[in-house]
Amino acid sequence: MSTTDNTLRVLVAGGGIAGNAVALQLLRAGMAVTVVERASAPRPGGQAVDLRGPSREVAERMGLMEGINKFLLHEKGMSLVKADGTPVYRMSMEMFDGKGPVADIEISRGDLNGVLLTELAGAGGELDYRYGDWIETIEQDAEGATVGFNSGRSERYDLVIGADGVHSRTRKMVFGPEEEFTTFLGGYMSFYTIPTPSDVEQDWMSMHVVPRASLGIRPDFDPATAKAIITLRTDADPALRRDITAQRKLIRDMLADAGWLVPEALEHLEATPDFYFDELVRVDMPTLSKGRVTLLGDSGFCGSPMTGMGTAMAIVGAYLLAGELAATPTDVEGALARYEAQVTPFLEKAKELPGGGIQMMLPTSKLGLTMMQQVGKLMTTKLFRPIMMKMLDQTQDYVLPTY
Ligand SMILES: Cc1cc2nc3c(=O)[nH]c(=O)nc-3n(C[C@H](O)[C@H](O)[C@H](O)COP(=O)(O)OP(=O)(O)OC[C@H]3O[C@@H](n4cnc5c(N)ncnc54)[C@H](O)[C@@H]3O)c2cc1C
């Protein structure tokens, strides 16, 4: 039921990067947009996200760069350190021309979400943004969907966009159980804010790896705080899903005796304001849309934080979805088919795990660790740098459509 012939009523489930980016573009295209975010306020947290190649181009085309520039991280590079803090090797930003482990545009996930929310607040148009609410039921017919919310409301939309993350409820309701679409990638990751340790190298991302686990410390925009990034290589344990105590215990157990700044980082596990812990999974959908429901971001195409491309996929996908809908608002099905056709080649590249995934990142033995360090050192040599850049920049050849 359109408000006018060309104005679609669109519901976006999830106020993360994907949901907010698509809401912004749809609003700018004159559509009536409702966003429901399950949390009671914007979710802070997340480490630096890279914008490179097509995702940087989208950020520019969406006019986000002025906001992003205010929160740029100016990271100088990545350094792998031993237990005593001395470097094994260093990969500076310049060494890889901004296309290495640290890109030239880096912003914390929470800050990028803040930039999108500021733009949304100033975009005008018909926006209904509701925190603390979520979809309970979706009933579709040929013209749209009637949606029942947890708040008790029932509303009619032309299109529902599930941008509710890797464990998407929208996906479960419309497409099927999570297990049908996810592949466990061999471990877990956690991100949280800590006070910046006094002996961490300023403006560098520092990483320390022990068998099966690693701790990274990455600068925040506020120099007083930093992000702890923990990666664990272990079997899947469904009991961990909602048990924060068990998640913290697993982190402590797997990083026991790791040395370096691990004890200092673990001291803040309980008190941190934004503890995030999730399994590493890949999401592959046979199709992104079913009738008037479509998926965007991690709900439809997650490669896991190991790809470093989650945010890139979310904003490129949002740009394409909104662009196609705006091009043919009277042909939603056609727009959804073109969205899928346009985004798929980008996803195929972005979901690839650079350097072989967790097996290469986190060896299980000391010998494996030594070999991994030697490979890392080799990558810093002039001869091998182009290989590293290619591994981290698989999407650079993707040609972004113009709307
Ligand atoms: C707090 C947080 C920290 C993160 N940190 C990192 C990081 O450091 N590195 C990294 O690579 N990736 C991180 N991620 C994942 C990263 O944000 C995504 O891979 C990427 O940005 C794509 O985002 P998305 O919007 O699809 O999903 P998400 O960022 O997961 O956003 C989904 C949103 O939907 C909301 N939601 C969930 N269920 C419902 C529901 N039923 N109804 C309504 N809303 C719902 C969630 O609260 C969330 O705000 C983080 C995600 C979150 C939520």
mmCIF file of all heavy atoms in Angstrom, residues 326-364:
data_model
loop_
_atom_site.group_PDB
_atom_site.id
_atom_site.type_symbol
_atom_site.label_atom_id
_atom_site.label_comp_id
_atom_site.label_asym_id
_atom_site.label_seq_id
_atom_site.Cartn_x
_atom_site.Cartn_y
_atom_site.Cartn_z
ATOM 1 N N ALA A 326 14.645 2.841 -5.831
ATOM 2 C CA ALA A 326 14.320 4.202 -6.268
ATOM 3 C C ALA A 326 14.164 4.261 -7.789
ATOM 4 O O ALA A 326 13.392 5.070 -8.309
ATOM 5 C CB ALA A 326 15.409 5.170 -5.807
ATOM 6 N N ALA A 327 14.893 3.370 -8.494
ATOM 7 C CA ALA A 327 14.825 3.385 -9.964
ATOM 8 C C ALA A 327 13.455 2.899 -10.452
ATOM 9 O O ALA A 327 12.917 3.422 -11.432
ATOM 10 C CB ALA A 327 15.937 2.509 -10.549
ATOM 11 N N THR A 328 12.883 1.893 -9.758
ATOM 12 C CA THR A 328 11.562 1.377 -10.195
ATOM 13 C C THR A 328 10.652 1.139 -8.983
ATOM 14 O O THR A 328 10.377 -0.002 -8.621
ATOM 15 C CB THR A 328 11.709 0.042 -10.971
ATOM 16 O OG1 THR A 328 12.325 -0.926 -10.111
ATOM 17 C CG2 THR A 328 12.514 0.186 -12.232
ATOM 18 N N PRO A 329 10.183 2.205 -8.353
ATOM 19 C CA PRO A 329 9.350 2.004 -7.155
ATOM 20 C C PRO A 329 8.042 1.271 -7.449
ATOM 21 O O PRO A 329 7.450 0.690 -6.543
ATOM 22 C CB PRO A 329 9.089 3.432 -6.650
ATOM 23 C CG PRO A 329 9.451 4.337 -7.768
ATOM 24 C CD PRO A 329 10.407 3.629 -8.658
ATOM 25 N N THR A 330 7.608 1.280 -8.687
ATOM 26 C CA THR A 330 6.363 0.566 -8.994
ATOM 27 C C THR A 330 6.615 -0.891 -9.376
ATOM 28 O O THR A 330 5.685 -1.646 -9.626
ATOM 29 C CB THR A 330 5.603 1.268 -10.150
ATOM 30 O OG1 THR A 330 6.530 1.443 -11.227
ATOM 31 C CG2 THR A 330 5.052 2.610 -9.714
ATOM 32 N N ASP A 331 7.887 -1.279 -9.414
ATOM 33 C CA ASP A 331 8.219 -2.679 -9.705
ATOM 34 C C ASP A 331 9.209 -3.177 -8.640
ATOM 35 O O ASP A 331 10.408 -3.290 -8.870
ATOM 36 C CB ASP A 331 8.826 -2.788 -11.112
ATOM 37 C CG ASP A 331 9.287 -4.213 -11.429
ATOM 38 O OD1 ASP A 331 8.847 -5.151 -10.733
ATOM 39 O OD2 ASP A 331 10.104 -4.371 -12.358
ATOM 40 N N VAL A 332 8.670 -3.456 -7.450
ATOM 41 C CA VAL A 332 9.514 -3.872 -6.320
ATOM 42 C C VAL A 332 10.208 -5.192 -6.634
ATOM 43 O O VAL A 332 11.412 -5.359 -6.382
ATOM 44 C CB VAL A 332 8.671 -3.977 -5.024
ATOM 45 C CG1 VAL A 332 9.482 -4.552 -3.877
ATOM 46 C CG2 VAL A 332 8.120 -2.612 -4.636
ATOM 47 N N GLU A 333 9.491 -6.140 -7.205
ATOM 48 C CA GLU A 333 10.085 -7.452 -7.505
ATOM 49 C C GLU A 333 11.278 -7.294 -8.443
ATOM 50 O O GLU A 333 12.329 -7.910 -8.240
ATOM 51 C CB GLU A 333 9.052 -8.412 -8.125
ATOM 52 C CG GLU A 333 8.066 -9.009 -7.127
ATOM 53 C CD GLU A 333 6.972 -8.031 -6.700
ATOM 54 O OE1 GLU A 333 6.863 -6.932 -7.305
ATOM 55 O OE2 GLU A 333 6.230 -8.343 -5.750
ATOM 56 N N GLY A 334 11.100 -6.467 -9.473
ATOM 57 C CA GLY A 334 12.192 -6.229 -10.436
ATOM 58 C C GLY A 334 13.390 -5.594 -9.746
ATOM 59 O O GLY A 334 14.543 -5.983 -9.971
ATOM 60 N N ALA A 335 13.109 -4.632 -8.859
ATOM 61 C CA ALA A 335 14.198 -3.948 -8.143
ATOM 62 C C ALA A 335 14.958 -4.936 -7.255
ATOM 63 O O ALA A 335 16.200 -4.907 -7.196
ATOM 64 C CB ALA A 335 13.628 -2.807 -7.297
ATOM 65 N N LEU A 336 14.219 -5.835 -6.595
ATOM 66 C CA LEU A 336 14.877 -6.809 -5.711
ATOM 67 C C LEU A 336 15.741 -7.786 -6.514
ATOM 68 O O LEU A 336 16.839 -8.167 -6.079
ATOM 69 C CB LEU A 336 13.844 -7.572 -4.881
ATOM 70 C CG LEU A 336 13.048 -6.732 -3.868
ATOM 71 C CD1 LEU A 336 12.041 -7.612 -3.116
ATOM 72 C CD2 LEU A 336 13.964 -6.026 -2.875
ATOM 73 N N ALA A 337 15.242 -8.164 -7.691
ATOM 74 C CA ALA A 337 16.031 -9.080 -8.534
ATOM 75 C C ALA A 337 17.312 -8.382 -9.005
ATOM 76 O O ALA A 337 18.396 -8.987 -9.016
ATOM 77 C CB ALA A 337 15.197 -9.533 -9.729
ATOM 78 N N ARG A 338 17.203 -7.108 -9.361
ATOM 79 C CA ARG A 338 18.410 -6.386 -9.817
ATOM 80 C C ARG A 338 19.381 -6.152 -8.658
ATOM 81 O O ARG A 338 20.592 -6.221 -8.823
ATOM 82 C CB ARG A 338 18.016 -5.057 -10.476
ATOM 83 C CG ARG A 338 17.263 -5.227 -11.787
ATOM 84 C CD ARG A 338 17.206 -3.912 -12.553
ATOM 85 N NE ARG A 338 16.723 -2.814 -11.734
ATOM 86 C CZ ARG A 338 15.428 -2.530 -11.524
ATOM 87 N NH1 ARG A 338 14.481 -3.254 -12.092
ATOM 88 N NH2 ARG A 338 15.072 -1.513 -10.754
ATOM 89 N N TYR A 339 18.830 -5.865 -7.461
ATOM 90 C CA TYR A 339 19.682 -5.711 -6.270
ATOM 91 C C TYR A 339 20.529 -6.967 -6.071
ATOM 92 O O TYR A 339 21.743 -6.916 -5.910
ATOM 93 C CB TYR A 339 18.785 -5.427 -5.056
ATOM 94 C CG TYR A 339 19.332 -5.827 -3.695
ATOM 95 C CD1 TYR A 339 20.523 -5.304 -3.207
ATOM 96 C CD2 TYR A 339 18.628 -6.739 -2.881
ATOM 97 C CE1 TYR A 339 21.005 -5.667 -1.947
ATOM 98 C CE2 TYR A 339 19.098 -7.104 -1.631
ATOM 99 C CZ TYR A 339 20.287 -6.567 -1.166
ATOM 100 O OH TYR A 339 20.761 -6.929 0.065
ATOM 101 N N GLU A 340 19.881 -8.113 -6.137
ATOM 102 C CA GLU A 340 20.606 -9.373 -5.920
ATOM 103 C C GLU A 340 21.659 -9.599 -7.019
ATOM 104 O O GLU A 340 22.794 -9.998 -6.735
ATOM 105 C CB GLU A 340 19.614 -10.540 -5.875
ATOM 106 C CG GLU A 340 20.294 -11.843 -5.555
ATOM 107 C CD GLU A 340 19.383 -12.855 -4.881
ATOM 108 O OE1 GLU A 340 18.296 -12.501 -4.399
ATOM 109 O OE2 GLU A 340 19.782 -14.027 -4.837
ATOM 110 N N ALA A 341 21.268 -9.303 -8.250
ATOM 111 C CA ALA A 341 22.211 -9.498 -9.364
ATOM 112 C C ALA A 341 23.413 -8.558 -9.236
ATOM 113 O O ALA A 341 24.548 -8.928 -9.541
ATOM 114 C CB ALA A 341 21.496 -9.272 -10.695
ATOM 115 N N GLN A 342 23.163 -7.343 -8.778
ATOM 116 C CA GLN A 342 24.250 -6.358 -8.663
ATOM 117 C C GLN A 342 25.181 -6.660 -7.494
ATOM 118 O O GLN A 342 26.382 -6.475 -7.578
ATOM 119 C CB GLN A 342 23.688 -4.940 -8.438
ATOM 120 C CG GLN A 342 22.859 -4.394 -9.570
ATOM 121 C CD GLN A 342 23.728 -3.871 -10.703
ATOM 122 O OE1 GLN A 342 24.932 -4.107 -10.748
ATOM 123 N NE2 GLN A 342 23.115 -3.175 -11.636
ATOM 124 N N VAL A 343 24.582 -7.097 -6.377
ATOM 125 C CA VAL A 343 25.398 -7.241 -5.167
ATOM 126 C C VAL A 343 26.179 -8.561 -5.155
ATOM 127 O O VAL A 343 27.265 -8.639 -4.562
ATOM 128 C CB VAL A 343 24.531 -7.058 -3.883
ATOM 129 C CG1 VAL A 343 23.740 -8.308 -3.528
ATOM 130 C CG2 VAL A 343 25.374 -6.624 -2.696
ATOM 131 N N THR A 344 25.653 -9.592 -5.817
ATOM 132 C CA THR A 344 26.274 -10.917 -5.719
ATOM 133 C C THR A 344 27.754 -10.943 -6.132
ATOM 134 O O THR A 344 28.582 -11.494 -5.405
ATOM 135 C CB THR A 344 25.435 -11.966 -6.483
ATOM 136 O OG1 THR A 344 24.130 -11.963 -5.893
ATOM 137 C CG2 THR A 344 26.021 -13.360 -6.371
ATOM 138 N N PRO A 345 28.143 -10.346 -7.257
ATOM 139 C CA PRO A 345 29.574 -10.395 -7.615
ATOM 140 C C PRO A 345 30.459 -9.715 -6.558
ATOM 141 O O PRO A 345 31.584 -10.149 -6.318
ATOM 142 C CB PRO A 345 29.651 -9.623 -8.937
ATOM 143 C CG PRO A 345 28.263 -9.459 -9.412
ATOM 144 C CD PRO A 345 27.341 -9.655 -8.264
ATOM 145 N N PHE A 346 29.930 -8.677 -5.912
ATOM 146 C CA PHE A 346 30.698 -8.010 -4.851
ATOM 147 C C PHE A 346 30.853 -8.932 -3.644
ATOM 148 O O PHE A 346 31.940 -9.086 -3.087
ATOM 149 C CB PHE A 346 29.993 -6.703 -4.439
ATOM 150 C CG PHE A 346 30.751 -5.930 -3.394
ATOM 151 C CD1 PHE A 346 31.871 -5.197 -3.732
ATOM 152 C CD2 PHE A 346 30.363 -5.961 -2.061
ATOM 153 C CE1 PHE A 346 32.589 -4.501 -2.769
ATOM 154 C CE2 PHE A 346 31.075 -5.280 -1.086
ATOM 155 C CZ PHE A 346 32.189 -4.541 -1.447
ATOM 156 N N LEU A 347 29.760 -9.603 -3.277
ATOM 157 C CA LEU A 347 29.777 -10.488 -2.107
ATOM 158 C C LEU A 347 30.726 -11.663 -2.307
ATOM 159 O O LEU A 347 31.427 -12.069 -1.388
ATOM 160 C CB LEU A 347 28.378 -11.037 -1.820
ATOM 161 C CG LEU A 347 27.270 -10.017 -1.620
ATOM 162 C CD1 LEU A 347 25.947 -10.721 -1.375
ATOM 163 C CD2 LEU A 347 27.598 -9.096 -0.448
ATOM 164 N N GLU A 348 30.721 -12.200 -3.524
ATOM 165 C CA GLU A 348 31.581 -13.369 -3.785
ATOM 166 C C GLU A 348 33.031 -13.041 -3.474
ATOM 167 O O GLU A 348 33.767 -13.853 -2.919
ATOM 168 C CB GLU A 348 31.426 -13.812 -5.237
ATOM 169 C CG GLU A 348 30.186 -14.685 -5.408
ATOM 170 C CD GLU A 348 29.796 -14.900 -6.856
ATOM 171 O OE1 GLU A 348 30.509 -14.407 -7.751
ATOM 172 O OE2 GLU A 348 28.754 -15.562 -7.072
ATOM 173 N N LYS A 349 33.444 -11.830 -3.804
ATOM 174 C CA LYS A 349 34.830 -11.434 -3.537
ATOM 175 C C LYS A 349 35.018 -11.058 -2.066
ATOM 176 O O LYS A 349 35.984 -11.445 -1.432
ATOM 177 C CB LYS A 349 35.218 -10.239 -4.409
ATOM 178 C CG LYS A 349 35.351 -10.607 -5.879
ATOM 179 C CD LYS A 349 35.407 -9.342 -6.722
ATOM 180 C CE LYS A 349 35.328 -9.686 -8.205
ATOM 181 N NZ LYS A 349 36.588 -9.869 -8.832
ATOM 182 N N ALA A 350 34.052 -10.298 -1.532
ATOM 183 C CA ALA A 350 34.213 -9.770 -0.170
ATOM 184 C C ALA A 350 34.177 -10.859 0.896
ATOM 185 O O ALA A 350 34.773 -10.723 1.958
ATOM 186 C CB ALA A 350 33.126 -8.734 0.106
ATOM 187 N N LYS A 351 33.476 -11.967 0.610
ATOM 188 C CA LYS A 351 33.355 -13.018 1.626
ATOM 189 C C LYS A 351 34.581 -13.919 1.700
ATOM 190 O O LYS A 351 34.693 -14.725 2.611
ATOM 191 C CB LYS A 351 32.120 -13.877 1.319
ATOM 192 C CG LYS A 351 30.819 -13.257 1.781
ATOM 193 C CD LYS A 351 29.800 -14.383 1.890
ATOM 194 C CE LYS A 351 28.461 -14.002 1.390
ATOM 195 N NZ LYS A 351 27.593 -15.165 1.210
ATOM 196 N N GLU A 352 35.471 -13.798 0.731
ATOM 197 C CA GLU A 352 36.673 -14.650 0.766
ATOM 198 C C GLU A 352 37.526 -14.286 1.978
ATOM 199 O O GLU A 352 37.730 -13.110 2.264
ATOM 200 C CB GLU A 352 37.515 -14.414 -0.496
ATOM 201 C CG GLU A 352 37.102 -15.298 -1.639
ATOM 202 C CD GLU A 352 37.847 -14.930 -2.901
ATOM 203 O OE1 GLU A 352 39.039 -14.587 -2.813
ATOM 204 O OE2 GLU A 352 37.209 -14.958 -3.961
ATOM 205 N N LEU A 353 38.026 -15.308 2.670
ATOM 206 C CA LEU A 353 38.845 -15.045 3.850
ATOM 207 C C LEU A 353 40.280 -14.778 3.433
ATOM 208 O O LEU A 353 40.910 -15.642 2.817
ATOM 209 C CB LEU A 353 38.799 -16.241 4.801
ATOM 210 C CG LEU A 353 37.491 -16.414 5.558
ATOM 211 C CD1 LEU A 353 37.480 -17.738 6.295
ATOM 212 C CD2 LEU A 353 37.285 -15.269 6.531
ATOM 213 N N PRO A 354 40.813 -13.591 3.751
ATOM 214 C CA PRO A 354 42.187 -13.316 3.340
ATOM 215 C C PRO A 354 43.158 -14.249 4.056
ATOM 216 O O PRO A 354 43.056 -14.448 5.269
ATOM 217 C CB PRO A 354 42.414 -11.850 3.752
ATOM 218 C CG PRO A 354 41.326 -11.521 4.702
ATOM 219 C CD PRO A 354 40.205 -12.503 4.506
ATOM 220 N N GLY A 355 44.034 -14.854 3.315
ATOM 221 C CA GLY A 355 45.109 -15.643 3.929
ATOM 222 C C GLY A 355 44.687 -16.950 4.558
ATOM 223 O O GLY A 355 45.388 -17.475 5.418
ATOM 224 N N GLY A 356 43.540 -17.501 4.185
ATOM 225 C CA GLY A 356 43.210 -18.870 4.611
ATOM 226 C C GLY A 356 42.452 -18.985 5.914
ATOM 227 O O GLY A 356 42.313 -20.073 6.452
ATOM 228 N N GLY A 357 41.958 -17.900 6.479
ATOM 229 C CA GLY A 357 41.076 -17.982 7.638
ATOM 230 C C GLY A 357 41.775 -18.312 8.945
ATOM 231 O O GLY A 357 42.987 -18.138 9.089
ATOM 232 N N ILE A 358 40.985 -18.822 9.890
ATOM 233 C CA ILE A 358 41.467 -18.987 11.259
ATOM 234 C C ILE A 358 42.610 -20.007 11.350
ATOM 235 O O ILE A 358 43.487 -19.891 12.215
ATOM 236 C CB ILE A 358 40.296 -19.348 12.205
ATOM 237 C CG1 ILE A 358 40.642 -18.916 13.639
ATOM 238 C CG2 ILE A 358 39.933 -20.825 12.145
ATOM 239 C CD1 ILE A 358 39.462 -18.687 14.519
ATOM 240 N N GLN A 359 42.641 -20.975 10.454
ATOM 241 C CA GLN A 359 43.712 -21.982 10.482
ATOM 242 C C GLN A 359 45.070 -21.313 10.277
ATOM 243 O O GLN A 359 46.063 -21.718 10.879
ATOM 244 C CB GLN A 359 43.481 -23.045 9.395
ATOM 245 C CG GLN A 359 42.354 -24.026 9.697
ATOM 246 C CD GLN A 359 40.955 -23.414 9.544
ATOM 247 O OE1 GLN A 359 40.810 -22.338 8.979
ATOM 248 N NE2 GLN A 359 39.963 -24.093 10.074
ATOM 249 N N MET A 360 45.117 -20.298 9.424
ATOM 250 C CA MET A 360 46.374 -19.581 9.191
ATOM 251 C C MET A 360 46.608 -18.502 10.256
ATOM 252 O O MET A 360 47.729 -18.264 10.671
ATOM 253 C CB MET A 360 46.374 -18.921 7.804
ATOM 254 C CG MET A 360 46.429 -19.900 6.665
ATOM 255 S SD MET A 360 47.880 -20.969 6.741
ATOM 256 C CE MET A 360 49.175 -19.817 6.292
ATOM 257 N N MET A 361 45.514 -17.867 10.686
ATOM 258 C CA MET A 361 45.647 -16.778 11.661
ATOM 259 C C MET A 361 46.108 -17.271 13.024
ATOM 260 O O MET A 361 46.894 -16.629 13.715
ATOM 261 C CB MET A 361 44.281 -16.111 11.892
ATOM 262 C CG MET A 361 43.931 -14.995 10.955
ATOM 263 S SD MET A 361 42.192 -14.556 11.246
ATOM 264 C CE MET A 361 42.279 -13.795 12.861
ATOM 265 N N LEU A 362 45.545 -18.428 13.433
ATOM 266 C CA LEU A 362 45.797 -18.939 14.783
ATOM 267 C C LEU A 362 46.249 -20.394 14.745
ATOM 268 O O LEU A 362 45.443 -21.318 14.904
ATOM 269 C CB LEU A 362 44.520 -18.840 15.637
ATOM 270 C CG LEU A 362 43.975 -17.445 15.914
ATOM 271 C CD1 LEU A 362 42.717 -17.538 16.755
ATOM 272 C CD2 LEU A 362 45.006 -16.575 16.616
ATOM 273 N N PRO A 363 47.538 -20.623 14.540
ATOM 274 C CA PRO A 363 48.029 -22.010 14.546
ATOM 275 C C PRO A 363 47.800 -22.644 15.917
ATOM 276 O O PRO A 363 47.617 -21.944 16.916
ATOM 277 C CB PRO A 363 49.526 -21.858 14.258
ATOM 278 C CG PRO A 363 49.713 -20.464 13.781
ATOM 279 C CD PRO A 363 48.598 -19.648 14.326
ATOM 280 N N THR A 364 47.840 -23.989 15.940
ATOM 281 C CA THR A 364 47.539 -24.676 17.200
ATOM 282 C C THR A 364 48.809 -25.013 17.995
ATOM 283 O O THR A 364 48.724 -25.422 19.140
ATOM 284 C CB THR A 364 46.779 -25.989 16.923
ATOM 285 O OG1 THR A 364 47.524 -26.728 15.958
ATOM 286 C CG2 THR A 364 45.389 -25.727 16.396
#
